[in-house]
Amino acid sequence: MLGGDHGERLTSERLALIGSAYKRLAWIDLEGRADALAKMAEYYRRGADRARDKGADSSYPLLNARWAELAMRWQGTPGPPADVPPLAADLAAVRAAIDAREKLEGPQFWQDSLRVDCDLLEAVDADRLEPVRIREIADRYLARREHASAREFSSVCDHLE
């Protein structure tokens, strides 16, 4: 077991790291994929909740939780719990947080990347991946490369895989 329950000792960042570990486990453990995806969703969602409780940005863990839930659906396992807001509501909240942060701090690489992540998640969830839409989203990711270090852009590519 990667995570365990450590109560308040786990920050949103640590919860997201545990979610990331389960994401990687889902990549390599075909037999345990469903459980790893469920744990990935759980820990990323807990990370998002913890960030919100602390008044911090919850966009990154929230989007990762939603990706896990989408992958769970592809695996034929139950999706998010009934108390989870619709995807459209979460995407609207993430976009609003990005807009608010951009007004305060100006455009930033990670915020811009999250905006494209929202569009990709929305398109995949709605099964709207026509070639022109795929090209548009890919071009927007590639445009981010001009404003990123090699490590930052590699992280975005890793996330997409």
Side-chain angles (χ1 to χ4, degrees):
M1 180 169 172
L2 291 172
D5 187 0
H6 301 285
E8 290 296 316
R9 292 186 300 174
L10 291 179
T11 64
S12 64
E13 293 82 5
R14 287 185 180 181
L15 289 163
L17 282 172
I18 295 169
S20 177
Y22 278 113
K23 176 171 50 174
R24 282 153 178 75
L25 184 60
W27 286 345
I28 62 173
D29 183 7
L30 297 179
E31 290 180 19
R33 179 168 288 155
D35 183 54
L37 287 170
K39 292 289 189 185
M40 173 188 165
E42 173 192 346
Y43 280 95
Y44 274 123
R45 188 154 298 280
R46 285 176 60 190
D49 291 345
R50 182 70 43 87
R52 252 190 315 271
D53 291 347
K54 301 283 184 187
D57 186 11
S58 64
S59 299
Y60 175 78
L62 181 58
L63 288 179
N64 275 285
R66 296 316 299 239
W67 276 112
E69 292 158 359
L70 179 62
M72 289 167 61
R73 203 170 69 213
W74 292 338
Q75 297 294 310
T77 58
D83 63 341
V84 170
L87 176 62
D90 278 347
L91 291 176
V94 168
R95 288 176 174 130
I98 292 167
D99 291 344
R101 191 169 190 175
E102 202 168 73
K103 283 181 184 174
L104 291 174
E105 302 171 6
Q108 295 180 2
F109 170 76
W110 290 113
Q111 298 301 314
D112 290 344
S113 295
L114 286 173
R115 191 183 311 276
V116 184
D117 290 346
C118 285
D119 294 344
L120 178 60
L121 179 54
E122 186 173 55
V124 170
D125 182 67
D127 198 22
R128 289 189 339 226
L129 287 175
E130 306 86 21
V132 71
R133 184 71 173 138
I134 292 170
R135 183 78 251 158
E136 174 189 305
I137 291 171
D139 286 347
R140 289 176 58 213
Y141 276 118
L142 290 173
R144 303 288 18 100
R145 181 172 40 191
E146 295 175 24
H147 306 285
S149 68
R151 182 194 59 77
E152 288 170 329
F153 194 72
S154 177
S155 179
V156 169
C157 293
D158 182 52
H159 176 72
L160 289 172
E161 284 183 30

